Amino acid sequence: MPEAQRRLFDSHCHIIDHRFPIVANQGYAPPTFPLEANLAQARPLGVKAGAIVSGSFQANDQTYLMDVLPRLGAG
């Protein structure tokens, strides 16, 4: 199927934005992977929608998610 016709759903993606709290998990803090980086990788593959998953390094803080969701739209 040509890429232009793909309609993929990413069932598990992380947005890591160090403007929001990041808590090291067993000494590991992930590198930045903001929304823009995610979209730059996902769009060429035909990803049209997805599920953003919080990581343990985000603890119980959802401020990053509240920032991202309005920018993603309905998908």
Side-chain angles (χ1 to χ4, degrees):
M1 179 179 289
E3 286 187 31
Q5 295 177 1
R6 288 186 192 164
R7 294 178 47 88
L8 302 177
F9 182 89
D10 184 345
S11 64
H12 187 116
C13 66
H14 293 282
I15 303 298
I16 305 163
D17 189 334
H18 286 263
R19 293 178 303 147
F20 302 98
I22 298 291
V23 178
N25 181 351
Q26 297 183 6
Y28 176 74
T32 298
F33 190 67
L35 175 62
E36 296 75 20
N38 175 279
L39 294 176
Q41 288 185 11
R43 284 184 175 152
L45 298 174
V47 175
K48 302 297 181 191
I52 299 173
V53 179
S54 293
S56 59
F57 47 82
Q58 288 158 320
N60 293 319
D61 185 82
Q62 299 291 297
T63 53
Y64 83 96
L65 188 59
M66 299 304 292
D67 176 70
V68 168
L69 289 177
R71 296 191 285 148
L72 284 172

